[in-house]
Amino acid sequence: TAISCRPLSESETKYFVKNQVNPRLFPFAVGAIALLTNKNVKDSGILYESFAAICKGIPVKNSSFHSIVIEDIGSGIASYLLQKFNLDSFGKQVYTLKDKETLFNYVSQDPGIIAVVDWSEFCDSDDRMQQQRLKGLKRLAISRPMDSLQMGYLLPDQYLFQDQKYPLTRTLYFISVSGKSDLGIGFASFVTGEIGQKILLKAGLLPLYQTDRWIELKSSPFRVIE
């Protein structure tokens, strides 16, 4: 059983089917990609098209940003951006670094760099270490694509994930190839259940199986005391 930020590709699915294994996919949450910059940058937002242009290696005129850094070229974030903008490879303005510590140091030294990270790692207000890291950085809002309904510049937020307004979201999946109900499927059942979905909500993800909350209002007679 694997947890993935993308479904299996066609070639991956064919591989399992060829080996007489029927993979099962269980979407369980929606996450988001967040953009972080140097805290001294004057701009608080970037156009979706400008961000895409930097990923493609196209210079952007009149922009405060010139480069993008990602933690690992083999990461899910790198794969997500390549697929998002229909790219085989990134342009020369995209750099990959070995770990987040190096990434944050890089951003703190150059106000023209955008760090691309998974927002669920930094949205937990109880995580003192990550909140301390955010103090030296600045969240960068991004617009929606020009061919869609415009809503200004948006920051990652669970309400925006729910309404499909934030442009950089991705669905998370359980992928099982065991062909039977085992420990992996049991864990998937827990995460998609009521308790597991509440844990995901606290972690900054959007649960796909939220339980209903019923509120009953009753009217009762009362008297006014003068």
Side-chain angles (χ1 to χ4, degrees):
T1 300
I3 296 177
S4 173
C5 57
R6 64 170 180 84
L8 292 175
S9 66
E10 184 178 352
S11 61
E12 290 167 341
T13 302
K14 286 182 178 179
Y15 171 82
F16 286 115
V17 172
K18 182 179 179 180
N19 288 275
Q20 299 182 341
V21 176
N22 184 27
R24 291 184 286 177
L25 274 69
F26 305 92
F28 64 92
V30 174
I33 303 302
L35 310 180
L36 303 177
T37 64
N38 189 294
K39 64 179 180 180
N40 296 319
V41 174
K42 294 181 180 180
D43 289 349
S44 58
I46 186 172
L47 290 173
Y48 178 89
E49 287 71 21
S50 297
F51 179 72
I54 299 175
C55 288
K56 298 174 183 178
I58 302 173
V60 180
K61 296 181 179 180
N62 302 321
S63 175
S64 299
F65 308 103
H66 55 74
S67 301
I68 291 173
V69 291
I70 306 172
E71 182 182 356
D72 181 8
I73 190 60
S75 68
I77 290 179
S79 176
Y80 170 83
L81 293 178
L82 290 172
Q83 184 178 15
K84 184 78 172 176
F85 302 124
N86 298 316
L87 301 174
D88 294 324
S89 61
F90 290 113
K92 295 181 180 180
Q93 295 160 288
V94 179
Y95 303 91
T96 57
L97 303 173
K98 61 180 182 179
D99 53 45
K100 287 188 176 64
E101 200 64 43
T102 307
L103 182 145
F104 292 138
N105 290 335
Y106 205 70
V107 174
S108 64
Q109 295 172 13
D110 189 337
I113 293 177
I114 300 173
V116 184
V117 298
D118 191 312
W119 178 235
S120 64
E121 295 186 55
F122 303 92
C123 64
D124 189 348
S125 58
D126 293 333
D127 190 331
R128 295 183 179 180
M129 180 180 295
Q130 301 296 11
Q131 293 304 312
Q132 187 65 33
R133 278 180 167 177
L134 284 179
K135 287 183 179 180
L137 301 170
K138 179 179 182 179
R139 290 192 294 165
L140 183 66
I142 186 171
S143 70
R144 290 169 56 82
M146 292 186 67
D147 59 355
S148 62
L149 181 63
Q150 294 302 298
M151 299 177 180
Y153 293 94
L154 306 172
L155 291 169
D157 183 273
Q158 288 165 315
Y159 293 105
L160 298 179
F161 307 162
Q162 176 73 53
D163 298 335
Q164 300 181 351
K165 295 178 179 178
Y166 187 71
L168 301 177
T169 59
R170 55 182 182 171
T171 302
L172 306 182
Y173 299 86
F174 277 104
I175 302 176
S176 174
V177 295
S178 65
K180 59 182 180 180
S181 296
D182 55 7
L183 184 60
I185 294 297
F187 181 61
S189 298
F190 170 77
V191 173
T192 55
E194 181 177 0
I195 296 177
Q197 293 286 282
K198 287 181 178 179
I199 294 173
L200 294 178
L201 184 67
K202 175 65 170 61
L205 300 171
L206 174 68
L208 291 182
Y209 305 99
Q210 300 183 60
T211 56
D212 294 331
R213 296 181 64 188
W214 291 85
I215 301 176
E216 183 177 359
L217 302 177
K218 294 183 178 181
S219 58
S220 57
F222 65 90
R223 61 177 183 172
V224 176
I225 300 177
E226 298 181 353

